[in-house]
Amino acid sequence: MDNTLNESGPSRPKRLCSMNRNYEQQIEQMLFNSDSDENYDFTDSGSEYEFENTEQVSDDFESDTEIANNVPSVNTQSSTNTNNDGDWQEEEIELSNFPFIKRNEMLVPIEGKINPIDYFFMLFDEHFIKLLVDETNNHAETEFLRVGSAPRSRISDWKPTDKDEMLTFIALIIHTGTIKLNRLNDYWKTHHLFNFSCFSNYMSRDRFLNLLRCFHFALNIETNNQNLPEDRLYKIRPLITYFNNKMNTIYYPKKELSLDESMVLWRGRLQFRQYIQNKHHKYGIKLYMLTEPHGLVLKFAVYVGVLDDLGGKGHVANVVLHLMSEKLNNGHALYMDNFYNSFDLASKLIEKKTFCTGTLRLNRKNTPQDVVESKLKKGETAARYSQGVMIGKWKDKRDVGYISTEFKNNLILSKNRNGKEQFKPEPISNYNRFMSEIDRQDQMHSYYPFTRKTIRWYKKIGIHIIQMLLMNSFYLYNQYHTGPKISLYDFRLSILSELLPKNPKPRSFSVSHTNHFPKTHDVGKSGRPNRKRCHLCYSKGIRKDTTYFCPSCPEKPSLCHQPCFKNVHK
């Protein structure tokens, strides 16, 4: 008997089909002859099926306990969650009432700031421009030393940039979104079909391409297969930190906030590239954004996979709490779609005195089964309340689940975009009101984009952050200046006319660093450059030869390309 039971193998479940057929027939005959099954308790142990009999069945089953432990049973008890159906109430209960204790205002003085350029420099401050200048110069030196002094190399003509030239470079990048051409070289063509002198008057083509090549935001980290950076975003981390800190410093938003994701187009190879079907750019880098309903971006985060601090288990809740970290306990009303909303997240936000409203996936954990299984006609609703949270379902063209900690399940009259009036649940009506503009930020970016396909991913994100700063300055200008509102096109032209004046100033370079660039020694008989002793290493008692020297220093000393050359001229 034991051998018969073990023939099924370890990979097959311990069900009735794996048992000896004689015992199977005995069980079927026993169940058939019984008048009812009220004396049998069918339970599910979780990993295998068990059978329990409250009365004595037969002597055969009493003597064979091993078979009795493998007889299947049926689970008649419904599974329970942390918040089971017994905790949900059909009657309306009082929801939380948190007052909004902050005020929508600019946190920096704006007196005298009447022109678009004033709001532009409010976000593009000296610290930001200095960051771009320093990191670009540092990366240019690294690129020059890596490439060497090939006479035909464009980088061999590199000269350090400064604040004025960096602003001109940014203005020209912005202007490529106004005048759209397929190739960057086309902006400097003299052919009669092109001939845009506004670009060549301010910067040569080679200089612009050199700056774009060396455009950088952080120091590179020497990596290999054993030494990988912990932060996948270290190349753009300074820009992310600057943007979030700047918006938190200069502006405090209104009560209503929206949270959604945006995509930056990227089809190349990247570990954290995402695919979102309902986005305009389906493939790309996903950004989580906290915005005001009209499109002003307050804070954002880049998704880099499960290895990120925000990834892994509880990822959605981590993202929401991270983006709302400076706005919690102030009575804000947060609107999100069904990707974020859940009963557990709503409960956490209630503890931090923050409302949440939005659509809900009805298969989420702790959703009341009465609402999920309810059969509704068009226009009808079903809702349950528990612990300050309301979860409901509304029948429109299809079933729509929703959740709110601020609004009850009241039907109110609302208009759609075509002016048609319809009764809708109050949470749905407010969700449409404050979330319908969340995609406006992506829409505005699509009008005059100045990102390029041929650049590296971190440069594309960096230029996208510059575009978000420009858009935020546009929103703040229209919100706080005293005159009439202007269009984004006119705002951009006003900025460009200030950064690119009619009469461009001649470009001048500082003498201290311009000519100090390494060159290689003459080629010897072996066909390779000669090697000489490094001047700095020799002064430290280290014997090291190098092919590089500085032609601008009086003694023309030989120096290692890294780090001796940089240390000598620092």
Side-chain angles (χ1 to χ4, degrees):
M1 179 176 64
D2 294 340
N3 294 333
T4 304
L5 289 174
N6 294 328
E7 287 178 356
S8 60
S11 62
R12 299 182 62 184
K14 296 181 180 180
R15 298 179 183 271
L16 189 60
C17 60
S18 66
M19 299 178 57
N20 186 283
R21 185 61 184 171
N22 295 330
Y23 292 103
E24 180 180 341
Q25 293 175 355
Q26 292 182 30
I27 295 172
E28 292 178 353
Q29 185 67 25
M30 176 192 66
L31 296 176
F32 178 78
N33 294 332
S34 63
D35 296 334
S36 67
D37 59 353
E38 61 183 2
N39 293 328
Y40 300 98
D41 181 23
F42 298 92
T43 60
D44 185 0
S45 64
S47 60
E48 60 184 67
Y49 294 94
E50 296 179 353
F51 173 82
E52 295 182 4
N53 190 347
T54 57
E55 295 184 356
Q56 183 177 358
V57 181
S58 67
D59 294 335
D60 294 336
F61 284 96
E62 289 178 347
S63 62
D64 193 355
T65 57
E66 186 172 3
I67 295 179
N69 289 331
N70 289 277
V71 177
S73 63
V74 179
N75 182 13
T76 58
Q77 298 178 356
S78 60
S79 60
T80 58
N81 296 322
T82 304
N83 189 324
N84 53 35
D85 289 348
D87 296 334
W88 292 96
Q89 303 177 17
E90 186 175 0
E91 297 81 8
E92 292 187 2
I93 62 174
E94 290 297 327
L95 301 180
S96 302
N97 185 17
F98 308 129
F100 181 56
I101 62 177
K102 292 288 186 175
R103 185 176 62 178
N104 174 222
E105 61 181 347
M106 291 291 295
L107 303 178
V108 295
I110 56 174
E111 296 179 0
K113 296 182 178 181
I114 57 176
N115 297 319
I117 193 65
D118 298 325
Y119 288 84
F120 175 84
F121 282 121
M122 185 189 302
L123 296 179
F124 292 82
D125 60 13
E126 293 185 0
H127 175 74
F128 180 72
I129 302 300
K130 185 177 184 301
L131 170 68
L132 299 181
V133 170
D134 293 343
E135 296 301 335
T136 300
N137 285 332
N138 290 336
H139 187 62
E141 293 180 9
T142 305
E143 281 291 301
F144 184 88
L145 295 173
R146 182 180 65 84
V147 175
S149 58
R152 293 181 179 274
S153 175
R154 185 186 293 122
I155 195 66
S156 62
D157 296 330
W158 170 262
K159 297 178 178 62
T161 186
D162 55 17
K163 174 185 174 182
D164 294 336
E165 188 184 37
M166 182 57 66
L167 286 173
T168 302
F169 174 68
I170 292 176
L172 292 179
I173 289 179
I174 295 174
H175 203 26
T176 59
T178 310
I179 304 173
K180 299 178 184 179
L181 298 177
N182 292 329
R183 302 174 182 174
L184 283 175
N185 290 336
D186 293 345
Y187 291 99
W188 282 268
K189 284 183 177 179
T190 56
H191 192 274
H192 69 279
L193 296 179
F194 299 93
N195 196 19
F196 298 107
S197 60
C198 59
F199 286 87
S200 58
N201 286 343
Y202 294 96
M203 191 174 294
S204 67
R205 180 201 62 186
D206 288 350
R207 182 60 179 174
F208 181 89
L209 295 179
N210 263 343
L211 284 172
L212 184 61
R213 176 181 179 180
C214 300
F215 200 40
H216 220 66
F217 318 114
L219 291 175
N220 281 333
I221 299 177
E222 296 295 334
T223 60
N224 50 46
N225 293 334
Q226 289 76 27
N227 181 27
L228 297 177
E230 296 181 358
D231 186 7
R232 289 180 173 178
L233 299 174
Y234 76 93
K235 287 180 177 290
I236 58 170
R237 182 63 64 187
L239 294 192
I240 297 175
T241 303
Y242 172 82
F243 182 96
N244 294 336
N245 290 341
K246 172 59 71 172
M247 292 305 302
N248 189 49
T249 303
I250 68 171
Y251 179 76
Y252 198 87
K254 302 176 182 178
K255 175 183 177 181
E256 293 79 14
L257 302 176
S258 304
L259 198 152
D260 202 358
E261 62 270 3
S262 177
M263 293 288 284
V264 178
L265 178 62
W266 181 262
R267 287 185 172 269
R269 292 184 178 181
L270 193 62
Q271 286 181 321
F272 46 89
R273 188 187 70 165
Q274 296 290 302
Y275 172 78
I276 300 181
Q277 184 176 7
N278 60 348
K279 292 295 183 181
H280 177 66
H281 299 313
K282 293 179 174 57
Y283 291 93
I285 303 169
K286 182 164 68 172
L287 309 182
Y288 293 112
M289 291 189 174
L290 179 68
T291 69
E292 280 194 327
H294 63 275
L296 181 71
V297 181
L298 303 172
K299 190 175 182 179
F300 78 99
V302 182
Y303 177 68
V304 294
V306 295
L307 298 180
D308 186 25
D309 294 338
L310 303 177
K313 186 177 181 180
H315 165 66
V316 173
N318 293 337
V319 169
V320 174
L321 296 178
H322 168 72
L323 295 180
M324 288 290 296
S325 57
E326 294 88 5
K327 308 295 187 296
L328 297 173
N329 298 307
N330 292 333
H332 280 285
L334 183 61
Y335 293 86
M336 303 175 288
D337 61 19
N338 58 15
F339 176 76
Y340 305 93
N341 278 317
S342 66
F343 176 83
D344 295 337
L345 178 59
S347 301
K348 291 180 181 179
L349 293 176
I350 289 178
E351 295 176 359
K352 300 185 180 298
K353 298 182 180 180
T354 303
F355 301 106
C356 74
T357 301
T359 55
L360 176 70
R361 297 178 184 177
L362 295 176
N363 60 353
R364 282 284 167 87
K365 184 180 178 181
N366 294 332
T367 302
Q369 291 299 314
D370 292 346
V371 174
V372 176
E373 299 172 358
S374 59
K375 304 297 181 181
L376 304 175
K377 297 180 180 179
K378 186 173 182 178
E380 293 182 344
T381 65
R384 296 293 184 271
Y385 298 81
S386 177
Q387 303 176 20
V389 181
M390 188 277 298
I391 292 181
K393 185 171 72 172
W394 173 53
K395 181 70 172 182
D396 191 30
K397 293 182 180 179
R398 57 181 178 270
D399 290 340
V400 179
Y402 52 93
I403 185 172
S404 180
T405 59
E406 185 179 10
F407 306 105
K408 296 182 179 180
N409 189 41
N410 301 322
L411 291 176
I412 61 175
L413 191 62
S414 61
K415 293 183 180 179
N416 59 13
R417 65 183 64 182
N418 299 323
K420 182 180 178 181
E421 294 185 345
Q422 182 184 6
F423 281 98
K424 296 181 181 180
E426 189 174 4
I428 294 294
S429 178
N430 285 279
Y431 173 81
N432 292 338
R433 177 185 175 189
F434 294 109
M435 279 288 289
S436 59
E437 297 293 330
I438 192 65
D439 293 329
R440 183 171 176 80
Q441 188 257 353
D442 289 337
Q443 178 185 356
M444 298 292 284
H445 281 187
S446 66
Y447 290 154
Y448 314 105
F450 46 83
T451 55
R452 289 283 165 175
K453 181 180 180 180
T454 56
I455 60 179
R456 299 180 183 272
W457 71 267
Y458 61 89
K459 293 182 184 180
K460 196 164 190 177
I461 294 295
I463 294 177
H464 185 79
I465 293 174
I466 292 176
Q467 189 169 359
M468 289 197 300
L469 288 170
L470 180 65
M471 288 295 305
N472 278 4
S473 63
F474 164 70
Y475 286 127
L476 293 177
Y477 172 78
N478 277 341
Q479 184 173 350
Y480 286 100
H481 87 291
T482 55
K485 294 183 178 182
I486 62 176
S487 65
L488 176 60
Y489 184 79
D490 293 334
F491 180 85
R492 289 166 56 93
L493 292 183
S494 177
I495 295 295
L496 293 174
S497 63
E498 294 291 336
L499 297 179
L500 303 172
K502 289 184 179 181
N503 300 318
K505 297 179 181 180
R507 171 76 175 138
S508 61
F509 297 95
S510 58
V511 182
S512 58
H513 298 283
T514 301
N515 299 322
H516 288 281
F517 286 96
K519 287 189 175 182
T520 55
H521 289 292
D522 295 335
V523 178
K525 296 181 180 180
S526 62
R528 292 180 293 183
N530 295 323
R531 299 178 67 87
K532 294 186 178 181
R533 184 180 299 171
C534 175
H535 180 76
L536 184 60
C537 292
Y538 179 75
S539 65
K540 298 178 181 180
I542 303 173
R543 175 62 184 264
K544 193 172 183 180
D545 296 337
T546 179
T547 60
Y548 294 94
F549 75 100
C550 181
S552 302
C553 293
E555 300 179 358
K556 297 184 178 181
S558 298
L559 296 168
C560 299
H561 68 289
Q562 281 186 345
C564 297
F565 191 93
K566 184 177 181 180
N567 292 338
V568 166
H569 296 92
K570 186 180 293 184

